[in-house]
Amino acid sequence: MKAVLVFCEGRHDVVFAQRSLGTHANCVWVDTPIGELPSPFGSNAVAKKGFISRLLERQAHEELPVKDAAHQPLPSFESIVENTKTNTMFFMIRTQGKDQSGPVVNLLRSLDDVINQPPGIFDTSEYAAAFLFDANSKGVEDTLEEFRNRFRDPFGDLSDVGHGCWVTSETVPVGCFVFHKSTQDPTGTLEDHLAPMVNSVWPARFSEAEKFVDRQQCKDDSVSSSKSARLKAAITIAGQFNLPGRPMSIVIGRNGIPKIAFKNSQTSRNLSKFLTQTPWRKA
């Protein structure tokens, strides 16, 4: 089995990636108990406790308030989808932002310490690391440059990394995908692509949601100063009719916007293509 670790900034990025893989690459949801996952992520005769279980145990619960102890420490394994034809699992990992590179590097080092064993010990033969980012106002190139600087250790030379492509680094295959508006406008976020998707399936509701946000916003509100926040608010409002009280990650999830929205999304198609074209090392 091969594993792709997909590092996402937030929960809606996780959902977008897993639904894109399900729509365009026929990946299926993995609901296997942690201990029964392929080793070293799950346990086997060599590792009595798998990598994910040991990662969760590192949280010092006695030093945390209850509200923090109730959640996984970041970066956290959020979900798994699998391409059964290629025997590849995609592990969605939430990092909560570009500036969380330190914990991500620590996770990768820990995995390397475990997985770099003689061949045949674990079910997983090799892994790759994919990173999904928003360009925001920085743009694609500045976002990539920040990534190169933050992740030179542990990956080595990342000078050739670009949007939507992979590099075979000194360690494992590494790839980056940066959400932005278009080739002509390299700024923006995932919401710039989610909004048209939601509008395509709920046009009246989304139009009214935008009007509501624009009419009711105050100058100190986040939606007044951030286009991304405004779109998040409108998307969430438009999805409340069948999912009352649920967050945006649920609105765009399996019980939210229908699959046709992902089928028709070029960004969804591009992301799936990127994630499934990992340049695995030849045996």
Side-chain angles (χ1 to χ4, degrees):
M1 193 274 290
K2 294 181 175 63
V4 181
L5 306 187
V6 186
F7 293 97
C8 307
E9 293 190 83
R11 285 194 172 93
H12 55 286
D13 306 83
V14 167
V15 174
F16 187 81
Q18 67 192 24
R19 289 207 69 188
S20 295
L21 286 166
T23 301
H24 301 288
N26 296 315
C27 289
V28 296
W29 185 267
V30 176
D31 205 20
T32 305
I34 290 174
E36 297 176 17
L37 290 170
S39 60
F41 300 97
S43 59
N44 68 357
V46 175
K48 300 301 182 181
K49 284 192 176 180
F51 179 76
I52 296 177
S53 290
R54 285 187 282 113
L55 193 68
L56 292 172
E57 286 180 346
R58 291 176 192 168
Q59 187 177 21
H61 290 92
E62 292 187 357
E63 299 175 4
L64 298 173
V66 170
K67 66 179 179 66
D68 294 332
H71 303 283
Q72 291 186 53
L74 296 175
S76 64
F77 284 77
E78 299 278 316
S79 63
I80 308 168
V81 295
E82 181 180 11
N83 187 325
T84 56
K85 288 186 177 180
T86 62
N87 198 27
T88 303
M89 280 189 174
F90 298 86
F91 292 80
M92 305 296 164
I93 303 173
R94 182 167 60 93
T95 65
Q96 207 60 46
K98 300 179 182 67
D99 57 349
Q100 299 302 310
S101 56
V104 172
V105 168
N106 290 338
L107 183 152
L108 289 165
R109 284 174 176 161
S110 296
L111 180 58
D112 277 338
D113 289 342
V114 172
I115 209 168
N116 285 331
Q117 302 290 334
I121 289 181
F122 297 123
D123 301 319
T124 306
S125 57
E126 56 183 314
Y127 80 92
F131 293 81
L132 314 186
F133 297 119
D134 285 328
N136 295 313
S137 60
K138 289 184 176 181
V140 173
E141 282 308 314
D142 283 352
T143 300
L144 290 170
E145 186 60 26
E146 182 178 356
F147 169 73
R148 296 180 190 110
N149 292 333
R150 287 182 180 273
F151 288 91
R152 185 173 291 111
D153 181 16
F155 294 127
D157 183 15
L158 294 172
S159 57
D160 291 335
V161 73
H163 162 64
C165 66
W166 293 85
V167 295
T168 305
S169 75
E170 298 170 14
T171 53
V172 299
V174 180
C176 236
F177 192 97
V178 185
F179 296 111
H180 60 286
K181 291 174 187 172
S182 66
T183 304
Q184 293 73 32
D185 187 347
T187 66
T189 66
L190 173 58
E191 287 72 40
D192 290 303
H193 303 280
L194 283 174
M197 292 169 64
V198 174
N199 183 60
S200 70
V201 294
W202 300 322
R205 290 176 176 178
F206 185 72
S207 176
E208 290 301 314
E210 284 193 298
K211 291 176 184 176
F212 172 75
V213 172
D214 291 340
R215 284 197 305 265
Q216 298 300 323
Q217 64 181 309
C218 299
K219 65 177 183 179
D220 294 330
D221 292 339
S222 296
V223 296
S224 300
S225 57
S226 167
K227 181 183 177 183
S228 174
R230 176 185 174 276
L231 291 176
K232 285 178 182 177
I235 290 167
T236 306
I237 293 168
Q240 293 304 296
F241 296 89
N242 290 320
L243 300 163
R246 307 311 292 269
M248 192 178 84
S249 58
I250 302 298
V251 170
I252 67 168
R254 290 183 293 172
N255 296 319
I257 59 174
K259 192 173 184 178
I260 188 64
F262 285 85
K263 282 185 177 180
N264 293 336
S265 168
Q266 186 62 50
T267 301
S268 175
R269 188 177 297 109
N270 290 345
L271 177 60
S272 177
K273 182 179 179 181
F274 159 70
L275 290 173
T276 55
Q277 290 188 338
T278 307
W280 300 111
R281 293 167 296 189
K282 295 181 178 179

